[in-house]
Structure formats: structure tokens, C-alpha cells
Amino acid sequence: IIMLEFHKKKPKNPSKTEPEKRIKDFQEIYSQFDKNDSVEQSSRCSQCGIPYCQIHCPLNNNIPDWLRYIAEGRLEEAYQVSASTNAFPEVCGRVCPQDRLCEGNCVVEQAGFGAITIGNLEKYLTEIAWEKGWVKNLSSQNQFKQKVAIIGSGPAGMAASAYLTQNGYQVDVFEKNDRAGGLMIYGIPNFKLDKKIVERRTEWLLESGVKFNLNMEVGKNISFQDLEKDYDAILIATGVYKARKLDIDTSSVDNSIPALDFLIESNRTGLGDSPSNNKFLTAKDKNVVVIGGGDTAMDCVRTAIRQQAKEVTCLYRRNKENMPGSAREVLNAEQEGIKFNWLSVPSKIISDNSTATSMTYKVAALGEVDESGRRKPVDTGVEKQIKSDLIIQALGFEPEDLNHNFKTNIELTSWKTVKVDFKKFQTSNPKIFAAGDIVRGASLVVWAIHDGREVAKSIHNFLQSSKIKKAS
Ligand code: FAD
Ligand code: SF4
Ligand code: SF4
């Protein structure tokens, strides 16, 4: 088999729907490799002895091996290798910021030939595996009596539930929403991650024996203390949901909304739910201003344009080079006709009764480097005005007050994330574990899957050693 073809074959990604067409619906914008492309693209890999792609993949996926198998047409083996470290490879293939992780660190990219298109190959491989029936329900040789409660069904909770079921435990997931999936279902828009992909995984877990208790908010519909009584171990995987606020007060107007309210409404209607009666949650025919420069802001602007907003502008206080969001998503947004006002700091909302009609912002220049390592915006004294009949605030997320909600006394960090030992994901109470965004702060799906995998091992070790202790 021929590998190391990177100097002969050009890097290629599957085609992307044209912007004019893709803004008409919420379908995923990338198509999928076919067999020939997948062989050609994987054969570009130089099979590095020290694979930087793997080192920079949070899951430490054995990328060179599955690329070689794809190139050799041994797809089932490729899938087995890929699935052995990643619970949801088809999700990561779609939503990982590969340019910062595996692909960005590929030596072929560093050498100037263009990265091996790992993400799209991972997506292709797993879609084939589903088609061919290689994705089997989880089963276990063990049947332990011990029970594990997982709070939250995002990627961290879902991944942990898969590994714990595979290890032979009874797993009960408690989810406050009416659907499982966390931000994969209600945060990330359908055009990045088709909801069917997430629902297929939820079905797979259900059929494998995971019990999902939906509409069950811990701290409200069931107490944390009841879980402590009934379960041998508890995993907190509740994510971070407190929206950061704008420096200016927007409480007097009702059309300035948090990003997630907007995205949840859009995802809900996409899933077939009837629209809520809050008319401020849709962008149709409005001049929409989205404030923020991260991935959530990009998801909001691109959702708004698909809802047929009149005009969509993103206000960001630094410049393009200093944006925290993925360059790929910014480019997609630009192609879709979003206007970007860089170096713009919101200063005042102008309203008619309780409805904002426009807002002003100060034009900034870049000053000294701040604590985040990026240059700080400083005021130039110039103020501008922009029409805004929907303002969406996408400034990031912080943890909610967990101990207040759960009536517990779990040790937290100064950022209010749950404090864990990062190898074991165990809290100050040995029976209680935590994983995903609630320990990391707002992070990535792939890190949540990583944490779910690692915490499952750790819970298994804990439960096995507590059995031995009981017996002796
Ligand atoms: P979540 O996915 O937040 O899941 C937590 C779950 O816990 C939720 O379902 C919640 O309802 C539930 N819960 C909370 N409290 C309780 C309670 N008391 N009782 C019961 N259930 C509870 N990452 C990427 O890698 N790529 C992307 O493209 C990307 N895009 C994003 C776009 C948006 C708009 C947002 C907001 C995030 C995005 N992320 C992306 C980040 C990614 O979604 C998160 O890092 C990841 O989902 C975290 O997983 P988690 O399991 O820790 O938490
Ligand atoms: Fe790359 Fe993400 Fe897949 Fe790892 S999980 S190989 S970082 S796309
Ligand atoms: Fe292949 Fe690139 Fe990984 Fe090297 S770094 S093994 S070339 S994908």
C-alpha cells in the first residue's frame, strides 16, 4: 500500500454548500467523502513515528493507524481502532476545531503541504460503520450490582454512561431538559451538527441499557441527597450555563437576550417543537446585533441569517486576529454575509419604551497585552450607532452556584468550577465525581468525551476497591 503521498496528492475536504444556498436552511454545510477520496486523502499521511496529530488530539486517537487502514480499504479495522478511544467519533469529526488540534499539528501541514484532513476522514469512517452495522450495542461480561447516577446528559455524561455500561454497571442519567445531548442538542446549531447524529447516539445508549430520566432537574425534581442515598457513585456533568453579562445595563429592554435562549429556541423549532410565544427569540426581518467573538457568537450570527434577518452584524471588542473563535467558523460566517464590526465596544442602548431600536458603541484601538495574552482594546473617543431590533449577548458562560442548587458542600475552585483531581476526576467527597465543562469551564465536546472516558475508569476503580474494602 502506498502512503506518504502528501507531496503528490493535494489536501481535499468534502464540498461545502454554496453560501447563497446554505443560508436558506439549517442543513449541515459539509458533504461527506466518498470511497476514492477517503483512500486518496488518508494515503497522504506520512505515518510519523511521533505523530503530533495524536499528541494534540485530546482523546489521543491512534490516527496514523486508522488512516493506514482506510488507505488499505480495511474499514472495519479502521473503525475498531478509532472507536477504541472515542465514544462519538462522528461528532468529533464534525465539531472539533481541527485547525487547533489534530490537523493544525500534523507535520504535513507544518511542512507546507496542507494537513491530512483527519476530521472529515473520522466522520466518513464512522458514518460507514453505522451504515454497515459495525456500531454494536454495548454489552458487558460483568453485571455489577452497584449503581451510578450521572447528572447531565451532555457529551461528558453520555460518554461516561457508555463506558460504565460497558463495564457492567447500572447507569441512571438525570437530565433537566426534555431531550438528552446537552449542548450537542440545544446549543450547537444543526448546520454544524445534525441533531439526528446526536439522537442516534442517545438511542444507542438506550438500547444498550442506559436509563435516561428526562425532565429531572437535580436539586428541584429530585434531591442530590436522595441520589447519594440510592447510588454507589455520582457523576456531576452539568456543564456551565450562567451567561456572562454585558458591561452596560440591558435590563430595561426586552429585546436584548442571552445567546443560549436564542439558540435553544432555534434548535427546538428545528426539532419540531412549536415556537415559544416570546417574539424576541427569532431574528426574522430584524436588524440583529450579536455581541461577542467566540464560537457561540458565530453560531448566533449564522442562525440569525438563516432565520431571514434583515441584517446581521457582529460587534467584537478586539480585532479579527484576536478573536477567540475558530477561524473556520468566522470564514463561514463571512461567506454567509455577516457584517463584522471589529474593535467595537457597546456603550448605550437606545430604546422606545422597553424595546431597543439601536445601540451605540465606542470604537477601540488595540493597546497593551492583557492577562489573557491578547492586546487590550482602548477607547479612541469615537462613538458610532447601529440599528438593533434584536441584541444577542454571546459573551461566554460561567458555572452556576452548584452548592446552592444541590444544597451540598462540594469543594469548588475560585472560578466556581468543581475541584477535582484531574487524573481521577474525583471531588473532595470520594463517592462524587465531576467531568466536562463543570470542571474545565466552557470548553469543547472532545474534552467532555475525554473526561467521560477517564472518569468512567476512575469510577470503576473506586467501585471495585470499595467492594474489596467491604468484603475485608
Ligand atoms: P453540556 O453539554 O452543557 O451538558 C450538561 C447537561 O447537564 C445539560 O443537558 C443540562 O441540561 C444538564 N444539567 C445541568 N444541570 C442539571 C441538573 N441540576 N439536573 C439535571 N441535569 C442538569 N464545542 C466544540 O467542540 N465544537 C463546537 O463547535 C462547539 N460549539 C458550541 C456552540 C455553542 C453555542 C456552545 C454553547 C458550546 C459549543 N461548544 C462546542 C462547547 C461544547 O458544547 C461543550 O464544551 C460541551 O457540550 C460540554 O459538555 P458537558 O457534557 O460538560 O456539558
Ligand atoms: Fe481530531 Fe477531534 Fe478527531 Fe481528535 S477527536 S482526531 S482532535 S477531530
Ligand atoms: Fe499522519 Fe499528519 Fe499524523 Fe503524521 S502528523 S501521522 S502525517 S496525520
Side-chain angles (χ1 to χ4, degrees), residues 23-41:
I23 59 169
K24 295 209 164 79
D25 60 38
F26 282 78
Q27 297 308 310
E28 281 189 4
I29 70 167
Y30 296 98
S31 64
Q32 196 174 297
F33 279 138
D34 61 19
K35 188 160 178 278
N36 290 341
D37 284 340
S38 72
V39 170
E40 181 188 276
Q41 291 301 306

Side-chain angles (χ1 to χ4, degrees), residues 180-194:
L183 290 172
M184 294 191 296
I185 205 94
Y186 281 137
I188 303 176
N190 200 79
F191 52 81
K192 275 168 56 182
L193 175 64
D194 194 314

Side-chain angles (χ1 to χ4, degrees), residues 57-59 61 63 66 86 92-93 96 98 101-102 118-119 122 446:
C57 164
L59 293 164
N61 286 342
I63 301 162
W66 51 258
N86 191 349
C92 294
C96 274
Q98 285 96 6
L101 302 172
C102 53
I118 302 167
E122 193 178 27
V446 64

Side-chain angles (χ1 to χ4, degrees), residues 226-412:
D226 280 345
L227 297 184
E228 274 190 294
K229 262 186 253 136
D230 294 345
Y231 291 86
D232 301 284
I234 299 173
L235 170 61
I236 302 171
T238 48
V240 291
Y241 284 91
K242 195 169 130 195
R244 283 209 192 103
K245 287 215 164 77
L246 209 56
D247 290 340
I248 54 171
D249 183 21
T250 61
S251 58
S252 59
V253 295
D254 36 26
N255 54 346
S256 174
I257 59 169
L260 211 50
D261 289 11
F262 176 66
L263 293 173
I264 291 173
E265 173 77 0
S266 174
N267 278 317
R268 275 196 180 285
T269 47
L271 282 156
D273 293 356
S274 26
S276 76
N277 43 24
N278 182 347
K279 64 178 193 279
F280 300 113
L281 294 181
T282 158
K284 192 167 167 32
D285 299 328
K286 293 178 186 161
N287 292 299
V288 179
V289 175
V290 176
I291 303 165
D295 286 337
T296 303
M298 292 312 105
D299 289 347
C300 289
V301 290
R302 298 178 64 203
T303 296
I305 204 86
R306 282 164 175 75
Q307 290 181 350
Q308 296 163 6
K310 206 186 281 170
E311 185 165 81
V312 186
T313 310
C314 175
L315 293 192
Y316 179 54
R317 62 199 191 106
R318 301 183 210 245
N319 63 356
K320 189 173 177 179
E321 290 65 43
N322 283 287
M323 270 181 110
S326 147
R328 179 182 65 188
E329 299 308 312
V330 178
L331 175 70
N332 283 334
E334 282 178 329
Q335 290 172 343
E336 289 168 13
I338 311 303
K339 283 175 62 181
F340 283 87
N341 288 4
W342 313 110
L343 295 162
S344 303
V345 185
S347 47
K348 200 169 67 225
I349 299 221
I350 297 157
S351 62
D352 182 1
N353 291 318
S354 59
T355 306
T357 52
S358 60
M359 65 187 297
T360 58
Y361 59 93
K362 288 189 171 154
V363 179
L366 287 181
E368 304 280 295
V369 170
D370 69 7
E371 61 288 349
S372 73
R374 291 173 299 169
R375 289 174 66 194
K376 210 173 153 165
V378 287
D379 191 4
T380 60
V382 178
E383 199 168 43
K384 290 189 176 172
Q385 190 165 334
I386 182 169
K387 268 196 201 163
S388 59
D389 29 28
L390 177 62
I391 300 167
I392 301 173
Q393 301 179 37
L395 300 154
F397 302 94
E398 285 165 4
E400 286 162 334
D401 189 342
L402 188 91
N403 281 325
H404 175 264
N405 294 350
F406 285 0
K407 301 186 182 66
T408 46
N409 200 8
I410 295 163
E411 205 179 330
L412 305 178

Side-chain angles (χ1 to χ4, degrees), residues 84-96:
S84 69
T85 49
N86 191 349
F88 314 127
E90 73 282 27
V91 175
C92 294
R94 287 171 166 88
V95 302
C96 274

Side-chain angles (χ1 to χ4, degrees), residues 167-192:
N167 274 335
Y169 296 99
Q170 187 191 315
V171 181
D172 291 353
V173 177
F174 295 86
E175 169 55 56
K176 73 174 176 187
N177 276 324
D178 53 350
R179 289 183 176 92
L183 290 172
M184 294 191 296
I185 205 94
Y186 281 137
I188 303 176
N190 200 79
F191 52 81
K192 275 168 56 182

